Amino acid sequence: METLSKNKAFGGTQGVYRHTSTATQCDMTFGLFLPAEASDGPVPVLWYLSGLTCNHENAMTKAGAQTWAAEQGIALVFPDTSPRGEGVADDEAYDLGQGAGFYVDATQSPWAPHFNMWTYLADELPAVLGDQFAVDLNRQAITGHSMGGHGALTLAMGLPGRFRSVSAFAPISNPSASDWGRKQLTAYLGDDESNWANHDATLMMRKQGFDGPILVDTGTTDQFVDLLQPEAFAHAVAERRQEATLRLQDGYDHSYFFVSSFIEEHIAFHADALYRD
């Protein structure tokens, strides 16, 4: 583990760290905010998964989440969105390759050796955090934006019992039926669409749902709303009668101005679940 930076923030510490990953076979960088309470013992954890083109730094510097995490005594984890570096496959398009891991374990060439973000987030990085930092892995929640919202929803439903709550900002909700999804799922997982089902929040909601509360916000003027397909996820939630709050926020777009406007509510939502006995 290498410490790249450490800054005091809101009484706690915002750090950036790098480690060698077995899952992705390259060095991975992540941000971790620890509130002041972490000096006295393990604190609950909220994961924040970022969207296309982002790395660990975008939400860490733009969302304003540390303010509210410090108030609630919650750690924030900001993983990267994909493997990176020399020898890691990439694509000229912004929505495939480095910066666009889609939180899956790739099975297709040239992506399979490194693009194992599901295993990295489900297994490897939690183990690293539990070993190195004062975090309580029995109290975890997850959120994300856009591609990261897709990742948050699918990880929450795909790992039953792991997360107490899940939220998302403008998630890619039905990737197997969207141009933001079909391209990437084909590239990473192949042409057999049955292999996509465990990475589509709408299909997962219909099949298994989530054993906790869900909060999703999408802006009414989001420039990518036709690719996000919030209505598909809403229909699946209604069909399953899942505990969920799905909101359309008037006039908001897809930017971090949107995320930062509602991050306080999302962190309070997760704090309620994380501190519930």
Side-chain angles (χ1 to χ4, degrees):
M1 178 76 67
E2 179 183 0
T3 301
L4 300 181
S5 65
K6 224 175 191 183
N7 300 95
K8 186 162 185 176
F10 303 101
T13 302
Q14 176 62 64
V16 177
Y17 307 92
R18 182 164 57 208
H19 70 112
T20 300
S21 166
T22 301
T24 65
Q25 299 185 44
C26 65
D27 287 345
M28 297 293 292
T29 301
F30 65 92
L32 175 65
F33 172 74
L34 290 172
E37 289 84 350
S39 62
D40 297 323
V43 296
V45 183
L46 175 59
W47 295 77
Y48 185 105
L49 307 186
S50 291
L52 288 168
T53 75
C54 294
N55 57 27
H56 71 280
E57 190 174 34
N58 295 74
M60 189 180 81
T61 59
K62 294 181 179 180
Q66 293 91 338
T67 311
W68 313 113
E71 187 174 281
Q72 301 286 356
I74 293 172
L76 294 171
V77 187
F78 302 101
D80 204 344
T81 54
S82 77
R84 299 179 192 271
E86 187 176 348
V88 176
D90 201 7
D91 191 272
E92 292 182 358
Y94 74 94
D95 58 355
L96 186 67
Q98 295 186 36
F102 265 76
Y103 304 104
V104 303
D105 280 354
T107 60
Q108 306 299 299
S109 179
W111 313 106
H114 299 285
F115 280 71
N116 296 302
M117 291 301 293
W118 179 280
T119 294
Y120 177 68
L121 291 173
D123 300 325
E124 186 173 15
L125 188 53
V128 169
L129 294 176
D131 183 59
Q132 299 287 331
F133 301 98
V135 295
D136 182 357
L137 296 181
N138 292 315
R139 293 176 182 265
Q140 296 187 69
I142 191 166
T143 188
H145 174 227
S146 193
M147 179 186 72
H150 141 79
L153 291 169
T154 56
L155 280 158
M157 287 185 277
L159 299 170
R162 172 74 62 88
F163 301 103
R164 296 194 175 193
S165 52
V166 58
S167 73
F169 300 88
I172 301 173
S173 299
N174 194 192
S176 63
S178 165
D179 289 343
W180 261 3
R182 294 191 64 83
K183 170 185 175 180
Q184 294 83 1
L185 294 176
T186 299
Y188 294 139
L189 302 177
D191 294 326
D192 185 352
E193 295 188 19
S194 66
N195 294 325
W196 303 359
N198 290 333
H199 300 285
D200 186 308
T202 295
L203 300 182
M204 295 178 77
M205 177 56 64
R206 289 177 184 153
K207 180 181 178 182
Q208 66 219 63
F210 177 65
D211 54 350
I214 298 173
L215 171 63
V216 177
D217 279 320
T218 305
T220 61
T221 60
D222 191 306
Q223 57 270 48
F224 305 113
V225 70
D226 290 339
L227 298 170
L228 304 176
Q229 300 201 20
E231 65 281 356
F233 187 69
H235 289 156
V237 165
E239 289 168 5
R240 190 169 185 82
R241 298 179 181 175
Q242 165 77 43
E243 178 187 2
T245 300
L246 312 179
R247 307 188 300 192
L248 292 174
Q249 300 291 0
D250 186 42
Y252 285 89
D253 59 16
H254 200 72
S255 70
Y256 265 94
F257 295 110
F258 158 63
V259 173
S260 61
S261 296
F262 298 100
I263 192 70
E264 178 186 5
E265 294 179 45
H266 281 242
I267 290 178
F269 163 80
H270 290 296
D272 182 65
L274 289 167
Y275 285 113
R276 190 182 304 153
D277 291 329

